[in-house]
Amino acid sequence: MMQQTINVMKERIQTRGLYQIVKEVSSFHRIQASGGFRAAANWCCDWLNSRGVQARVLHYPAPAGGYAGSYRLFQEWNCAAGWCRLAGPEGFVLADYSVEPISLIQKSCACDWREQTLDLVEMTEGCEEEAYEGWDLEGKVLFTHQHINKFSWAIQKRGVLGIVSDYLNETPHVRIPEELLDALNYTSFWWEHTPGERQAFGFVVSPRTSLRLQKLCRQRRQAFEKGECESPYLALNAYVEATLENGTSEVVEAVLPGESEESVLVCAHLCHPCASANDNASGVAGAMTLMAAIHAAVEAGQLPPLKKTIRMILVPEFTGTYNYLNDGRDKTLYTAGINLDMIGAKQEDTTGPITVTGLPFAMPSFEGDLATLLLQELKQEVNSREDLLLQNVRTDAVPFGLGSDHFILSDPQVGIPSIMLGQWPDKYYHTSADTIERLDMNVLKFSTLLAAVYVYTLCDLHKRDARLILNHQCTRLMARMEAITRRAMLAHSDPRELAAQLGALKEFYTEAARRLCEQAGLDPAKPLARLNALLPGRVQWAEEGPVYRRLFGDPLESLEKRMLDEPDKLALVREYNRRHEAEPDKEMQEALCVYYIDGVRSCGRVADQVIAELGGGNKAMLLEYQRLLAGCGLLETVR
């Protein structure tokens, strides 16, 4: 059945159609909770309805400091204009929202300094507050070279009005500012909406403009030291016309009804600045196209009617998914999912392969194995030039990771095992250089084709397909066993650590095979015996410490934000974060820790399973993290 579906979807999914959607979506400035996002959502909804796919736009409140589950919400922001210019005869425009929307730091507050000038202070001593004792920053604009979050102290405590930032998020071995001299980094304020919070405005400059500006700042300081001018600072004019107020945040929902209300969920995030083509107009185009293609194929009789329902959501990343899952719907109807995030860039230079991100071990299921099997199946037959182009797309399978909405869906408390189809690394990610010219429509077609076949197969899982997946599971298990054993040997690991890692892997695959057999109506005895033969024995997890149960139903995107309204608890969280800020994979360890807390495992066992899954970690930190969650009132003690 999979090959039939592949052949039908190859015909239905056309590169030209994908290009048109990316072109339209990337023309919107799609900042979360904004009129630009709303306009993009309405366009996507109209496009889907015009293709016969039932679609609607859901509106959720965007209040200051509200919550959707464990996620802290924020206000709607809308901007009409914003610019910044160096004053004086030698002055020039540093940023202009009307020309390049990403040149304004998103969620900037309104300001009007058209008639008066502001001093521009270059932060030459790093980003720590202690380095600027004695500096008068009140009423000034900072020229900063690190992430703007590192200068929040200057806004909240020292009276700074604005920021000019040249920060470009570097990726090791992939991109440095010198290689993207004219790119602007996607930068946003994320206001906490707490009493007394000060807000600011800001602008982004490219590495090339930064070099010019640094030179002018240096020359001005030297001239001041020689008594040739009255101020050591350059002067600038700035203007921002923007509002930040309680509003709404949108999600596009589309439905292909099946015989059952049980649903497979397709997710893609629609947000980010104009153009943000690969991140994530590509995922949006893929999600919309697969919905239209499956609908058309079923209507034409090319594919049998859907047994399960397909639901698609286009969301503001994280925000929309938390809103959607916490609006009273029955999450138990969602049996599986896929998140499409960056799926169409040209595979040149240092841009990475199309990746299938698997499931966390705490959410054992077979969907990752189906997806990696499809990576191979899509390349089996070459009957045309396009088939050859699809065959040449580089692909990879990677373990579970954070960074997008699948992290929310795959939380065992949410219970929607969801893989991510993505692409990493991406040289132009989160910059103004992420334009449609960087995309390869054949790569995007490959990704969309995989997602479409994946979704349709999950809606009508045949025994023959299930047997193919079971065979593939054994192949993947052996490959992962070999990789874990090789790393352990090279690291001279303790044999007990290796045994725990292999035991955790076996537990995952055993439960995944059991779930697959249950869904396909197969006897699990032989598949489980085969897995046991490949990896005999089982790990005995030591129970240590109290057993906790979660009092929240979705993962913690940020514990610090969750505690913003409780100062005493917030202080404990910040002290914990300060002590462990240098811990490798801290966020991943904490996320997996939360997944494993189930009211059955002891806190010691939770920590051991996290370390076994990752092949390393900090047990003392994980035990402390669980005590911290309990102290914050987010866990209750079972025994």
Side-chain angles (χ1 to χ4, degrees):
M1 187 64 195
M2 275 191 284
Q3 277 301 328
Q4 178 189 348
T5 308
I6 289 171
N7 292 334
V8 171
M9 288 295 102
K10 275 185 180 179
E11 174 192 340
R12 289 285 175 182
I13 297 168
Q14 296 295 318
T15 55
R16 185 63 184 171
L18 290 164
Y19 179 88
Q20 290 296 339
I21 297 175
V22 173
K23 181 181 178 182
E24 290 291 338
V25 170
S26 63
S27 70
F28 292 96
H29 189 54
R30 321 182 291 283
I31 297 303
Q32 294 200 16
S34 72
F37 185 96
R38 190 172 303 117
N42 288 331
W43 183 90
C44 293
C45 184
D46 291 344
W47 187 96
L48 289 159
N49 282 314
S50 72
R51 269 68 178 177
V53 179
Q54 302 173 21
R56 59 177 178 162
V57 177
L58 306 175
H59 303 271
Y60 297 96
Y67 287 89
S70 62
Y71 182 82
R72 189 176 178 90
L73 299 171
F74 45 83
Q75 290 183 309
E76 178 176 333
W77 178 77
N78 288 295
C79 181
W83 54 263
C84 178
R85 186 183 190 281
L86 278 185
E90 75 283 4
F92 61 96
V93 174
L94 292 172
D96 189 340
Y97 179 83
S98 67
V99 175
E100 182 61 88
I102 203 171
S103 68
L104 178 68
I105 296 180
Q106 310 306 305
K107 303 185 187 294
S108 284
C109 68
C111 72
D112 189 351
W113 294 89
R114 289 176 290 185
E115 303 302 326
Q116 296 174 281
T117 61
L118 293 164
D119 289 339
L120 180 66
V121 182
E122 184 179 10
M123 304 301 276
T124 56
E125 307 300 320
C127 57
E128 299 298 328
E129 182 178 5
E130 295 75 17
Y132 296 96
E133 288 186 17
W135 288 45
D136 178 14
L137 303 179
E138 182 78 28
K140 293 181 171 56
V141 175
L142 307 185
F143 177 27
T144 65
H145 309 305
Q146 290 86 24
H147 195 286
I148 62 169
N149 289 349
K150 294 181 181 293
F151 298 93
S152 59
W153 57 267
I155 297 170
Q156 301 307 323
K157 294 161 42 176
R158 301 285 289 276
V160 164
L161 297 180
I163 288 177
V164 172
S165 171
D166 68 1
Y167 174 78
L168 183 69
N169 186 20
E170 297 187 37
T171 306
H173 317 301
V174 176
R175 77 176 185 201
I176 57 176
E178 290 79 3
E179 292 183 340
L180 292 174
L181 281 174
D182 296 307
L184 302 175
N185 196 80
Y186 169 29
T187 309
S188 180
F189 294 114
W190 292 95
W191 304 117
E192 295 179 346
H193 300 300
T194 52
E197 180 184 39
R198 293 182 175 182
Q199 295 177 347
F201 59 88
F203 302 89
V204 180
V205 295
S206 68
R208 189 188 304 277
T209 300
S210 174
L211 292 173
R212 181 181 179 186
L213 190 54
Q214 289 179 61
K215 181 179 179 180
L216 291 173
C217 286
R218 185 168 59 252
Q219 289 174 345
R220 176 57 64 94
R221 291 193 298 270
Q222 292 170 349
F224 176 75
E225 291 169 0
K226 295 176 183 178
E228 297 173 357
C229 58
E230 296 181 356
S231 170
Y233 306 127
L234 297 174
L236 55 79
N237 298 104
Y239 176 73
V240 178
E241 184 180 342
T243 58
L244 194 65
E245 57 193 358
N246 290 347
T248 61
S249 180
E250 280 66 42
V251 170
V252 180
E253 182 188 41
V255 182
L256 295 179
E259 297 173 10
S260 166
E261 279 295 309
E262 285 193 324
S263 301
V264 177
L265 184 65
V266 180
C267 177
H269 72 79
L270 177 59
C271 58
H272 287 357
C274 174
S276 296
N278 195 38
D279 183 23
N280 187 36
S282 66
V284 170
M288 292 169 60
T289 298
L290 77 83
M291 294 292 283
I294 292 174
H295 171 72
V298 170
E299 287 288 297
Q302 291 178 292
L303 291 176
L306 294 168
K307 297 286 179 55
K308 293 182 180 180
T309 295
I310 303 174
R311 294 183 183 273
M312 182 208 73
I313 53 174
L314 305 179
V315 299
E317 195 170 17
F318 295 147
T319 311
T321 304
Y322 278 102
N323 272 325
Y324 186 76
L325 294 174
N326 286 283
D327 67 0
R329 68 186 58 251
D330 183 358
K331 295 192 288 289
T332 64
L333 292 175
Y334 295 80
T335 61
I338 183 171
N339 177 35
L340 306 179
D341 190 349
M342 301 169 58
I343 59 172
K346 291 178 181 177
Q347 296 186 332
E348 58 186 19
D349 197 8
T350 52
T351 300
I354 294 298
T355 57
V356 169
T357 298
L359 300 172
F361 283 7
M363 184 75 254
S365 195
F366 64 90
E367 284 77 11
D369 299 309
L370 168 59
T372 54
L373 174 60
L374 289 174
L375 288 179
Q376 300 173 13
E377 289 296 313
L378 294 184
K379 300 182 179 184
Q380 289 302 309
E381 298 182 13
V382 178
N383 298 313
S384 66
R385 181 177 182 276
E386 184 180 61
D387 285 350
L388 184 61
L389 292 171
L390 296 178
Q391 190 179 65
N392 288 336
V393 174
R394 290 187 288 116
T395 61
D396 195 11
V398 298
F400 175 75
L402 306 177
S404 194
D405 297 87
H406 63 288
F407 138 83
I408 307 168
L409 302 172
S410 290
D411 182 339
Q413 292 288 328
V414 176
I416 308 174
S418 299
I419 64 161
M420 181 175 77
L421 200 60
Q423 190 170 23
W424 191 256
D426 184 339
K427 185 174 182 177
Y428 306 105
Y429 154 82
H430 276 200
T431 74
S432 57
D434 181 10
T435 61
I436 195 170
E437 291 79 16
R438 309 292 186 188
L439 299 193
D440 181 336
M441 291 303 134
N442 290 298
V443 174
L444 183 50
K445 175 166 181 173
F446 179 92
S447 302
T448 305
L449 178 59
L450 188 152
V453 179
Y454 168 91
V455 169
Y456 186 83
T457 301
L458 288 174
C459 287
D460 190 11
L461 187 61
H462 289 241
K463 290 184 178 180
R464 179 177 177 274
D465 291 338
R467 292 189 182 99
L468 289 173
I469 299 169
L470 287 167
N471 288 335
H472 183 64
Q473 279 184 327
C474 292
T475 303
R476 290 201 74 204
L477 174 60
M478 288 188 289
R480 295 182 76 169
M481 286 168 52
E482 189 272 336
I484 290 171
T485 304
R486 183 179 69 252
R487 286 197 301 269
M489 292 175 65
L490 292 172
H492 304 288
S493 298
D494 187 315
R496 290 171 297 183
E497 295 176 2
L498 174 59
Q501 292 178 48
L502 294 176
L505 185 68
K506 180 181 178 180
E507 286 185 0
F508 174 83
Y509 272 99
T510 298
E511 188 56 37
R514 196 189 314 276
R515 177 182 167 93
L516 173 57
C517 291
E518 179 183 338
Q519 288 203 20
L522 295 173
D523 182 354
K526 287 185 178 179
L528 295 182
R530 184 165 51 177
L531 290 174
N532 192 57
L534 289 171
L535 190 54
R538 60 187 298 270
V539 64
Q540 294 292 331
W541 301 107
E543 299 294 350
E544 169 193 347
V547 175
Y548 293 119
R549 178 186 294 120
R550 284 168 54 176
L551 298 176
F552 54 99
D554 39 38
L556 294 168
E557 188 269 335
S558 170
L559 178 59
E560 187 168 325
K561 290 181 181 178
R562 180 66 179 80
M563 292 293 114
L564 282 173
D565 297 326
E566 302 184 60
D568 292 343
K569 295 175 181 177
L570 178 61
L572 295 176
V573 173
R574 286 176 170 167
E575 174 58 24
Y576 162 86
N577 286 333
R578 185 194 62 77
R579 285 199 307 275
H580 298 291
E581 62 183 353
E583 174 67 28
D585 294 325
K586 175 178 177 289
E587 290 183 0
M588 175 65 88
Q589 290 186 60
E590 292 168 352
L592 295 182
C593 180
V594 166
Y595 287 173
Y596 279 115
I597 297 170
D598 61 355
V600 176
R601 298 177 175 96
S602 70
C603 62
R605 177 178 171 180
V606 166
D608 288 342
Q609 290 198 245
V610 170
I611 292 169
E613 180 171 348
L614 293 176
N618 185 333
K619 185 169 183 176
M621 184 192 77
L622 290 167
L623 294 174
E624 182 184 351
Y625 185 62
Q626 292 175 78
R627 292 193 297 270
L628 176 64
L629 293 177
C632 288
L634 298 176
L635 304 179
E636 66 176 359
T637 304
V638 176
R639 64 177 186 274

